[in-house]
Amino acid sequence: MLLFQKNIIFLLDISVCSLFFIFNYNVFGNQNLLWFFGTFLFIMLIYFSLKGFEIHRLYSPRFNFMSFSISYFLSFTLFGLFALVFDKQSLYYALAGTFLPMIFLLSILNTFVFRILIKKVSKKIKIPYDISDEILEQLRKYSFNTLRFEKAADKDIDFAVLFKYISLILDRIPLEIIKKDEEFFNKQIMAKSGYPFWQKIIDISLSALFFVLLIPIYAILSLFINILDGKPILFRQKRIGLNCEEFTLYKFRSLKNSTDYETIDVLSDHEKRSYPLGRFMRSLRLDEIPQLLNIFKGQMSLVGPRPEMIKFHDMCMENVPYYEMRSKCMVGITGWAQVCYKRSNTLEEYIKKTEYDLAYIYLFSPAMYFKSLFYTLDALVYRRD
């Protein structure tokens, strides 16, 4: 979808980078080889950013802000490692002064050009006759008139195409759509099930890095929790993970000491037992840090559907269609439903949350994994509940 338009932007960016190199030729002197290597990294960064370009976020200032922030972070990380490996700190500082303005320029330029090109895209998508008006309205709203939805009999619909476009446009797959071809959808979910080796490697590598970097935060939070509300520092609770297996989840304790939840209304329980440090930790998801231990134990991933408490899991298994399918993927500290939706408390909210989780599993890939991580940064900046 929109591959031609993305390639045009990619070629445009390469042209801009080439001009960027020419104008800065004298800055780098005889270090041309190193500079070409740095430019190559930059071009690859652009390419992989465009692979995840999402049309429904195009008109949001949050998208522009997030694109710039992620590019800034990745660029400094890449060139920091680059300078460290080649011992070229002077090159790193020279790049920093010219490279960052280029990121800012391309973040704006790419979005502007894409808005122009996207209006020239047109594709027909067949949908069931009895699809709800609400879903149809959302599809038309977020597809920016690039897709035309035509109603057709179920036998004439390519559900592989329909599932893909709906999940890309809405970030979720409505349960009423899944009912139209349960067998096909189930096969696709089963094909993505489990905990692939590449995901394990990334989880362990990133978790080890985060664990070391966050050691000062562990110490500070542990000290303040102990001073403000005493022990225990960690909160342990049984959760449901991959293939509906139980495991013990770890968190920094963000609520006052009490018995287990007296009500299924988590929001009221949090309001009753919260204390200032706990509210601060939850707002920045700092209470989730000890779940790195769950990752080292092979019970969780950095990204995946959130592991549910047993009582909520049982409630959803009885009342939410296809809920058991979300257990086919490794649960995570953050996830697609967490960055696209809100904390769930009612059955209706759990139904909607399940639709996001199923879309994540349906589209599951390394790109989807990293996309969820990047969107987590966006959710933290804007304190999304």
Side-chain angles (χ1 to χ4, degrees), residues 139 185 283 375 377:
L139 288 172
F185 188 81
S283 70
Y375 286 0
L377 297 177

Side-chain angles (χ1 to χ4, degrees), residues 100-357:
L100 294 179
M102 182 57 61
I103 297 174
F104 183 74
L105 172 63
L106 291 180
S107 293
I108 296 175
L109 183 65
N110 287 346
T111 307
F112 176 75
V113 174
F114 204 88
R115 287 176 181 174
I116 296 174
L117 294 174
I118 198 175
K119 295 178 180 179
K120 302 182 181 299
V121 177
S122 181
K123 183 178 179 66
K124 292 181 181 179
I125 302 293
K126 293 181 179 180
I127 60 174
Y129 279 113
D130 55 350
I131 190 173
S132 69
D133 293 336
E134 178 186 1
I135 293 177
L136 185 57
E137 182 181 348
Q138 289 178 340
L139 288 172
R140 288 171 174 167
K141 175 181 178 182
Y142 293 117
S143 61
F144 294 97
N145 298 319
T146 61
L147 301 174
R148 288 183 292 166
F149 295 94
E150 297 182 351
K151 293 189 175 184
D154 291 357
K155 64 180 181 179
D156 298 326
I157 296 174
D158 185 340
F159 281 95
V161 172
L162 181 62
F163 286 143
K164 177 183 177 181
Y165 278 98
I166 283 183
S167 56
L168 289 172
I169 295 170
L170 300 182
D171 289 330
R172 62 187 178 91
I173 303 181
L175 300 185
E176 67 177 270
I177 299 295
I178 297 176
K179 291 179 182 178
K180 296 297 181 180
D181 197 338
E182 297 177 353
E183 183 179 356
F184 172 79
F185 188 81
N186 187 55
K187 287 181 180 178
Q188 295 300 307
I189 293 295
M190 293 305 296
K192 303 290 182 71
S193 63
Y195 191 21
F197 183 72
W198 64 262
Q199 189 179 7
K200 293 180 185 179
I201 295 299
I202 296 173
D203 283 335
I204 295 298
S205 302
L206 292 180
S207 297
L209 176 62
F210 293 152
F211 186 84
V212 173
L213 294 177
L214 296 173
I215 286 177
I217 295 181
Y218 305 151
I220 294 172
L221 291 179
S222 299
L223 176 64
F224 277 94
I225 292 172
N226 192 31
I227 292 174
L228 294 175
D229 200 50
K231 296 181 180 179
I233 304 300
L234 293 181
F235 172 70
R236 297 172 174 83
Q237 188 178 59
K238 291 293 182 181
R239 295 289 181 100
I240 303 297
L242 179 66
N243 296 323
C244 295
E245 294 181 1
E246 290 186 16
F247 71 96
T248 301
L249 178 137
Y250 304 102
K251 299 176 73 171
F252 278 125
R253 188 168 56 80
S254 60
L255 302 175
K256 294 180 181 179
N257 277 313
S258 179
T259 57
D260 197 9
Y261 295 104
E262 300 174 357
T263 172
I264 202 168
D265 188 350
V266 177
L267 293 179
S268 64
D269 184 82
H270 282 188
E271 184 177 347
K272 196 167 27 176
R273 294 199 290 138
S274 285
Y275 61 102
L277 177 61
R279 286 192 291 270
F280 171 75
M281 286 193 297
R282 286 199 305 277
S283 70
L284 293 178
R285 306 298 192 264
L286 296 177
D287 58 324
E288 313 281 359
I289 292 175
Q291 289 165 43
L292 294 175
L293 298 175
N294 291 114
I295 293 178
F296 294 137
K297 294 173 70 173
Q299 298 166 329
M300 292 182 65
S301 168
L302 283 173
V303 180
R306 280 296 293 168
E308 292 293 351
M309 290 182 285
I310 295 175
K311 62 177 69 176
F312 287 108
H313 172 79
D314 292 342
M315 176 189 74
C316 292
M317 287 290 285
E318 293 178 6
N319 298 283
V320 181
Y322 316 111
Y323 182 80
E324 71 279 0
M325 289 185 180
R326 72 189 294 278
S327 68
K328 302 302 180 183
C329 181
M330 178 59 79
V331 294
I333 295 179
T334 186
W336 192 242
Q338 281 64 50
V339 299
C340 294
Y341 195 50
K342 59 182 180 180
R343 292 182 185 270
S344 302
N345 190 39
T346 66
L347 180 59
E348 291 74 19
E349 290 172 345
Y350 270 100
I351 292 174
K352 185 66 69 67
K353 179 181 176 182
T354 300
E355 294 177 346
Y356 286 100
D357 284 330

Side-chain angles (χ1 to χ4, degrees), residues 19-79:
L19 291 174
F20 179 49
F21 166 73
I22 293 171
F23 289 143
N24 289 277
Y25 180 81
N26 294 328
V27 174
F28 304 104
N30 60 359
Q31 302 181 100
N32 292 341
L33 182 62
L34 293 179
W35 168 231
F36 273 117
F37 179 71
T39 304
F40 172 77
L41 290 179
F42 184 35
I43 291 173
M44 288 300 98
L45 174 65
I46 295 169
Y47 173 72
F48 286 112
S49 297
L50 287 175
K51 282 188 69 175
F53 209 95
E54 308 230 2
I55 53 176
H56 67 282
R57 290 177 175 249
L58 205 57
Y59 289 88
S60 169
R62 295 175 62 171
F63 177 84
N64 293 331
F65 174 80
M66 185 182 67
S67 298
F68 174 67
S69 300
I70 291 173
S71 298
Y72 186 98
F73 171 76
L74 290 180
S75 302
F76 258 63
T77 301
L78 286 173
F79 281 98

